Amino acid sequence: MSKKMKFLWCPVCMVHTYHQESEDGWLCVNEDHDLFLQKRSDPWIEKYRANDKMLAVSLKEAEG
């Protein structure tokens, strides 16, 4: 069974990229996502990290 994929905006990578469906939401599959997450210093990124959403984007966020 293949996993579902969507082409969505990633707020960490700042580009539209593919996301894979998981139990937690939509996971960005951009190979540089982790690097961007570590290097970003935007004020909202701390909240993003604190909410334990390091990789997953919720369906509500993905469609918004």
Side-chain angles (χ1 to χ4, degrees):
M1 175 191 289
S2 66
K3 299 213 179 203
K4 291 184 181 178
M5 297 286 281
K6 279 192 174 185
F7 193 68
L8 305 167
W9 175 259
C10 176
V12 175
C13 301
M14 299 291 288
V15 295
H16 278 86
T17 186
Y18 285 99
H19 289 69
Q20 188 170 18
E21 186 177 34
S22 75
E23 293 178 6
D24 298 324
W26 293 92
L27 300 176
C28 178
V29 295
N30 184 346
E31 62 187 29
D32 295 324
H33 182 90
D34 290 334
L35 179 64
F36 286 129
L37 187 62
Q38 292 173 8
K39 301 294 182 184
R40 297 290 300 270
S41 61
D42 305 62
W44 62 269
I45 202 80
E46 292 303 322
K47 182 178 178 184
Y48 187 87
R49 290 179 186 130
N51 286 336
D52 196 27
K53 294 175 8 182
M54 294 181 70
L55 296 176
V57 175
S58 74
L59 184 57
K60 183 177 180 180
E61 290 174 275
E63 292 177 345

